[in-house]
Every structure is written in C-alpha cells, then in structure tokens.
Amino acid sequence: MSFQAYLDNIEAKTGRTPQQLIDEATKKGFGKETKAGEIIEWLAEDYDLGRGHAMAVVYIVKNGAQISDKHVNSGG
C-alpha cells in the first residue's frame, strides 16, 4: 500500500484530512519530539486506528504534510 493510500484510508476512517490531524496533534502538544507511542495511543483511543495507519500519522505530525520522494510512486 502506498503512503498516499494510507492517508486516504485514514481520512475515510476518521473524517479528518492529514492537515486536520496535524492541527489536532499540535493542539494536544504533539510535535517532532513526541514519542510515536504517545501519538499511536491517542489515535487508537480517539479514532480506532491501528498501528500501521497511526504510524503514517506519526510521520506527518513529525515531518509535516509533505511526503518525501521515497514515498512517491513507490509502486505500493
């Protein structure tokens, strides 16, 4: 599954765009220095996201909404 497919599935499941999740995470005090486990726990409790999808959100919370070239056209 491509990174974009993860983000699309997350949006379908949560009703939140990646930017909305970044904004919500920021309001909760999450950022680059936050441990992944804290963000994963929040997403599991509030949105019932599994670990794989939550890790995609961890990536965008820590790195912003832009994804690196290694995830673009990766064939997934």
Side-chain angles (χ1 to χ4, degrees):
M1 178 181 295
S2 72
F3 191 78
Q4 184 61 53
Y6 269 91
L7 296 179
D8 292 343
N9 287 338
I10 291 164
E11 187 171 348
K13 183 166 185 154
T14 66
R16 303 282 223 200
T17 65
Q19 187 60 56
Q20 288 172 319
L21 289 169
I22 292 169
D23 294 344
E24 189 173 342
T26 300
K27 287 179 186 173
K28 290 182 167 292
F30 298 152
K32 286 184 181 268
E33 302 303 319
T34 305
K35 294 187 184 255
E38 294 177 68
I39 298 171
I40 291 168
E41 185 177 314
W42 157 57
L43 294 166
E45 289 176 7
D46 288 8
Y47 296 106
D48 197 31
L49 286 184
R51 184 171 180 83
H53 286 95
M55 285 302 295
V57 177
V58 168
Y59 181 89
I60 63 170
V61 166
K62 290 180 172 257
N63 298 290
Q66 299 296 320
I67 60 173
S68 74
D69 289 341
K70 85 176 196 177
H71 296 296
V72 177
N73 296 321
S74 61

